[in-house]
Each structure stands twice: as structure tokens, then as C-alpha cells.
Amino acid sequence: MTHPTSLAPESLLALLREDDHVPALICPDDGTRVSHADLARIVPDLAGTLARIGVGRGDRVAIMLPNGPEVVELLLAVAALGAVAAPLNPAYTHAEFAFYLDDLDPGLLLVPAGHGEEVRAAAAGRTVADVVLHAPGPPVLSVAGIPAAPGGPFDPANPQDTALLLHTSGTTKRPKQVPLLHRNLMASARAIGAHYRLSARDVSYCAMPLFHVHGLVASTLAQLAVGGTVITPRRLSPSRYWRHVSEYAVSWVSASPTTHQQLIEHGVPAGGIGLRFVRSCSSALPPALMARLESVYQAPVLEAYGMTEASHQMTSNPLPPAGHLAGSVGIEAGAHVRIVDRQGRDVPTGQSGEVAITGPGLTPGYLNDPQANAESFFDGWFRTGDWGRLADGYLILEDRIKELINRGGEKISPPEIEDVLKAHPAVADAVCFGVDDEKYGQVVGAAVVLAGEATVAGLREHCRGSLADFKIPKVVHILDAIPRTATGKLQRARIADSLAEGGL
Ligand code: AMP
């Protein structure tokens, strides 16, 4: 397995290479090309600008920008000065932005000029910098209509600084804050690069959002770390994807199974596509989809297993000639893996248990959440909440222990949706769970007990006021009562199974 533990810890500044004219980032929508030499100039320049605006080491900067070269440049610039980048999903509603901004309490929020009405309203009273997304050229920042002066001195970040602060959906309704240090992110990027033998000749296609570790660490940082090129479209369009793949000689793409499915649904080119490999991560890849992808791409499709807390990749199927197996998330590739029981002891070889991991990508711990840390960390190991077993070094994920709903790679916390449903005046009780779905793997299902008049359409409309679209329940059952255990706990998976079998 590839472990970068022997390497000295690095900061993200190690990504910058001054003497290299290979493109680092290409935006296929407007032709923006940023060479590695450009990136090495732009990132410190933007860091200096941020420093002039008043951003300092340890300060938090929330970033709500579409995918594209600018978000990579700004994330790296924030991190370069030892500040903490907190990217936000642009699909959030006002209520969600309000929650995240309150939780993060950023000193600065970056929003595209002329856009982001919801996030701006939620950020009332906070400092917002407008980002003018130029083509070509680096983004320009202005605060209260006054363009920020370029450059300025700053103390560069070190490997122990927190670079990124992400939220993970918890099984409780409060999302947990996951700090990822420079050294965590660099170790993960290097491990991914080594596992797939990435080089400066490779061209990655960033098909996933850059506010999540999948798009940011796998598709982008891992490729930048070896001096290659990342294609960063602003919006993923299946019809343009195939043109971009051939125009920019893309050599690998990573996506969730749902996104892979969407990309091939649109019609695929007849001739050779020329990718070296295809990577799938963030939710289970159905073997039939894997076979279909291999026949479309005529390249190995490698399923990987990643997690925010691990700075993304923990295991992955290897490149040939080693075997890549359908139904397995592969071998250690960034983290050490054990299968443990409740006490944290190894289960007998081959038996199922909870997947525990450790490695240089692992977060030092959740912020301000001692209970979650006590539950998740033991002796330097981290409980993933996933259930699985090892067979000849290959990890096979089985049922989930955690009740998170995984909709095409987007993790959704059931209690968050339950609370929104319960806030409807006609809802007396509510439970949410994952429902199997061909396109997304899972979608949100709900069961409610009514104490007044309400329709399913009305309930969904009510949810739309506070929840991003991907969280709105697709299936809603109306029940007389929601079963609970003797101690009053909801067993969401059981309820979901009973409803799927036709009764409760
Ligand atoms: P996130 O922190 O959003 O990346 O989500 C991490 C979780 O996604 C893991 O704990 C798993 O439950 C799930 N996951 C990631 N990759 C896979 C995979 N290949 N198969 C099944 N589940 C996966």
C-alpha cells in the first residue's frame, strides 16, 4: 500500500511549482487556462490581497463559489496564509446558509459579484467580499464596492495549520465540523497520486463539487501535486463532457456512481475514449454500472472508499495488473484499515465488523464536539460508522451502521429532515430514512403522523422553504403511529425495511 508517512509533512504551498508551464487548471466553459507558473504567482497574490482585507492566520473564510479555477485559487490562497477555508454548497437555502454561517462564524465570506442572494441575506452584518470571476485572469475581490489592493505581505502557512473546515452530516441533527490540516490534505493528495501513478502527463476531469473532498482532494489536489492538469468546468454538463474529454485529452475522471450514470446516459462517443482509468467513490458502485462503465470507457473502473474525516481516500481498487473487483472498495490506499468490534478489538479474520481507519490524512478530531470525538476515536484509530469485512486485503462494505442517507454521494442526516417536517403545524411525528433508488442509490423517504389536514405535496412544499432540493423527501408515507423502541428510540432502518415490504 502507498503510505506517504515517510515523507515530511507538507503544506499546500508545496503544490505550487514556479518553473512549470504545463496547464494546472483549465475551465472548458470560457477557455481560462492557468499554468502551474501562473498558479504559483496567483495564489500568493490573492493571499496577499486577503491579508490586506484583514484575513489572518486561523481566521475563517467561507467560500460560496461555483466550480472553476477561481475557487481552487481562492481556497489555496486562504490556506496559504494559514487561514481556514470553509466552502459552502451553493444549493443551500437561506435557512441552511444561516445555520452554517452561524456555526462557522467566518471573518469573511466570498460570493460571486452580483450573485448569491440567499447567502448574502443570511450573512447580514458579516463582511462579504464580491468575487469578480474574470476570464481570462485571476479573480478580483472587492469589499463594499471598493476593489481590494493586490498583494501584500503574509506569513505562509505551515503543515500543522488547519486549511479546510468542512461539515459532515451527523446521525444527530447537528452537523459536525471537521478540520483538515495542510499535512492531512497533502498526505491524502500524495497517496491518491501514488496509488493511480498520476504524473504531470495526466489530465483529470473534475466532475464533482469542489466544496466536497471528492472533487477537491481526489480530482484536483492529487493531480496538481504531480504537476498535471485539472479540467474544472463551472457546471457539469453530460453533453459537453464527452467533447471536453476528447478536446483536452482527459486521462482519468472520478465521480460518484450517480454522476457516472448521468454522464453515460446522455449518449457516448463511438470511438476510443482513451482514459487510463475511471474512479468511482462516495457511494456504492453497483456491479452492473461498473460493467457498463468498463464497456463504455474500455478502461479499468476502480471503486474507492473515501470520507471527509480521512481527507477523502482510504481504500481503492488498484490499477491492473492487480485485480479490481466489483463489489469491493479495494485495498488500503491512503489509510490503514482494521475491522473492529464495539470494544475496538480486531474481529477474527474475514468476519464483519466496523471499519476503523488511521493514517496521515485523518483529521485530528471534530471541533467542539467531545462526545462525537469520544465515540469515534480510540487509540489513534477512527470508527468510520461503516460495516464491512476484509477478504485477501480487499475491503467489502456491507450494511451501514450509521443512519445517514446517501443520495448519490450527498450525505443527509435524517433528524434534520424530521425536524423540518415536525415544524409543519399538521405533523405530530415524523421519521426519515433512505429508500433504495436506481438513479441515486438512495433517496430521502419519510413517514409522518398527521394531527391535522396536510397533503404529501403540501409537506414537500413546506420542506422546500428550509431544505436544499436534494434533501426534500421523495417518498412520504402517512402512518397512524411511528414505532419506537422501549427506550423511545427510532430504528430508522427497520422502519424503512418494513415500509419497503409493504406494511407497518
Ligand atoms: P463523505 O464524508 O461525504 O465523503 O462520506 C463518507 C461516507 O460515504 C463513508 O463513510 C461511506 O459511508 C460512504 N462511501 C464512500 N465511498 C463509498 C463506497 N465506495 N461505497 C459505499 N459507501 C461509500
Side-chain angles (χ1 to χ4, degrees), residues 168 212-213 280-285 303-309 312 314 329 384 386 397 400 402 406 409 411:
T168 58
H212 186 271
V213 278
S280 177
C281 194
S282 293
S283 59
L285 176 66
E303 181 170 8
Y305 169 44
M307 185 171 209
T308 306
E309 289 88 331
H312 194 51
M314 299 172 282
V329 293
T384 61
D386 295 309
L397 293 179
R400 297 168 59 75
K402 49 194 179 193
N406 189 340
K411 313 304 180 306

Side-chain angles (χ1 to χ4, degrees), residues 253-276:
V253 61
S254 185
S256 65
T258 303
T259 302
H260 277 305
Q261 174 75 47
Q262 284 164 350
L263 292 175
I264 57 169
E265 249 169 22
H266 205 83
V268 297
I273 297 166
L275 267 64
R276 202 157 63 73

Side-chain angles (χ1 to χ4, degrees), residues 273-357:
I273 297 166
L275 267 64
R276 202 157 63 73
F277 69 96
V278 172
R279 178 179 184 272
S280 177
C281 194
S282 293
S283 59
L285 176 66
L289 177 58
M290 175 172 163
R292 170 99 177 94
L293 288 169
E294 292 211 322
S295 96
V296 167
Y297 283 100
Q298 294 291 305
V301 172
L302 309 177
E303 181 170 8
Y305 169 44
M307 185 171 209
T308 306
E309 289 88 331
S311 304
H312 194 51
Q313 183 165 290
M314 299 172 282
T315 71
S316 172
N317 278 280
L319 287 165
H324 58 282
L325 312 179
S328 164
V329 293
I331 58 174
E332 293 184 338
H336 290 293
V337 175
R338 279 165 64 196
I339 307 294
V340 298
D341 64 15
R342 278 184 182 280
Q343 282 71 42
R345 294 172 306 212
D346 288 315
V347 301
T349 311
Q351 280 190 18
S352 301
E354 184 168 6
V355 180
I357 61 119

Side-chain angles (χ1 to χ4, degrees), residues 144-472:
I146 303 166
F154 67 91
D155 253 356
N158 69 58
Q160 299 296 346
D161 285 326
T162 299
L164 204 60
L165 191 54
L166 298 171
H167 277 92
T168 58
S169 311
T171 33
T172 61
K173 56 192 163 239
R174 201 171 175 82
K176 292 171 279 188
Q177 288 187 6
V178 186
L180 296 175
L181 313 186
H182 281 256
R183 65 174 167 79
N184 296 142
L185 293 163
M186 282 307 291
S188 183
R190 297 264 188 227
I192 294 168
H195 184 74
Y196 302 113
R197 290 182 228 132
L198 297 182
S199 78
R201 288 185 304 279
D202 277 306
V203 178
S204 147
Y205 196 90
C206 182
M208 298 297 287
L210 283 159
F211 54 78
H212 186 271
V213 278
H214 186 160
L216 183 62
V217 182
S219 305
T220 307
L221 300 185
Q223 184 62 80
L224 293 180
V226 295
T229 304
V230 187
I231 309 300
T232 50
R234 297 202 190 286
R235 200 173 56 80
L236 188 64
S237 146
S239 57
R240 274 177 293 176
Y241 166 74
W242 296 105
R243 212 180 60 225
H244 296 159
V245 164
S246 99
E247 196 171 326
Y248 297 103
V250 169
S251 65
W252 68 286
V253 61
S254 185
S256 65
T258 303
T259 302
H260 277 305
Q261 174 75 47
Q262 284 164 350
L263 292 175
I264 57 169
E265 249 169 22
H266 205 83
V268 297
I273 297 166
L275 267 64
R276 202 157 63 73
F277 69 96
V278 172
R279 178 179 184 272
S280 177
C281 194
S282 293
S283 59
L285 176 66
L289 177 58
M290 175 172 163
R292 170 99 177 94
L293 288 169
E294 292 211 322
S295 96
V296 167
Y297 283 100
Q298 294 291 305
V301 172
L302 309 177
E303 181 170 8
Y305 169 44
M307 185 171 209
T308 306
E309 289 88 331
S311 304
H312 194 51
Q313 183 165 290
M314 299 172 282
T315 71
S316 172
N317 278 280
L319 287 165
H324 58 282
L325 312 179
S328 164
V329 293
I331 58 174
E332 293 184 338
H336 290 293
V337 175
R338 279 165 64 196
I339 307 294
V340 298
D341 64 15
R342 278 184 182 280
Q343 282 71 42
R345 294 172 306 212
D346 288 315
V347 301
T349 311
Q351 280 190 18
S352 301
E354 184 168 6
V355 180
I357 61 119
T358 192
L362 182 60
T363 176
Y366 300 111
L367 288 191
N368 311 320
D369 202 336
Q371 194 190 334
N373 284 329
E375 284 165 9
S376 303
F377 289 87
F378 67 100
D379 307 333
W381 288 78
F382 172 77
R383 293 178 174 280
T384 61
D386 295 309
W387 191 258
R389 67 189 159 85
L390 283 165
D392 296 330
Y394 282 73
L395 179 63
I396 294 141
L397 293 179
E398 298 171 337
D399 252 359
R400 297 168 59 75
I401 306 171
K402 49 194 179 193
E403 292 178 324
L404 289 184
I405 302 163
N406 189 340
R407 182 187 178 277
E410 299 254 28
K411 313 304 180 306
I412 301 164
S413 161
E416 185 190 348
I417 322 290
E418 287 159 9
D419 274 7
V420 171
L421 284 168
K422 284 186 209 162
H424 187 286
V427 173
D429 198 2
V431 61
C432 288
F433 39 80
V435 174
D436 289 347
D437 181 85
E438 207 168 306
K439 184 165 176 196
Y440 292 104
Q442 283 190 318
V443 289
V444 179
V448 295
V449 177
L450 292 181
E453 288 291 312
T455 60
V456 167
L459 292 174
R460 299 182 45 172
E461 198 45 46
H462 161 81
C463 289
R464 204 154 275 133
S466 356
L467 298 171
D469 275 358
F470 67 89
K471 300 182 192 167
I472 312 281

